Amino acid sequence: MGNRKKYIFDPHKDPFINGYKCGLRPRAILAVVKIRGSRYCIMKWKGTEDASFVKYTFARDKFPVIVIKFYEQLAIQLQRE
């Protein structure tokens, strides 16, 4: 997986602000990462170019279709490699 994307966040913005709680709707999950033992989704939001960290369990419960799409796309990418 040598072509992994790197996601750069604005250091002046809090990346843990949940866009859903700010009234935004999710567009896609960019990645799933583990931070201090907890899983987070890097979530892209509709109507903005910003991304933020969302607890995996929150994303799984609130946006199951988006979580499933992320893993389907990941499986397809892994099959191509």
Side-chain angles (χ1 to χ4, degrees), residues 6-62:
K6 292 186 179 181
Y7 301 99
I8 301 170
F9 295 97
D10 184 341
H12 302 290
K13 293 182 182 179
D14 182 358
F16 287 94
I17 292 175
N18 186 332
Y20 179 76
K21 292 181 180 176
C22 295
L24 299 174
R25 297 176 52 93
R27 183 187 312 164
I29 295 173
L30 303 177
V32 175
V33 295
K34 198 170 202 176
I35 302 173
R36 297 185 187 129
S38 296
R39 285 193 297 173
Y40 289 87
C41 296
I42 301 175
M43 184 76 73
K44 191 83 165 154
W45 304 98
K46 290 181 181 177
T48 181
E49 289 302 311
D50 292 336
S52 61
F53 290 101
V54 176
K55 279 231 173 221
Y56 179 82
T57 53
F58 180 85
R60 184 193 64 210
D61 293 344
K62 292 286 185 184

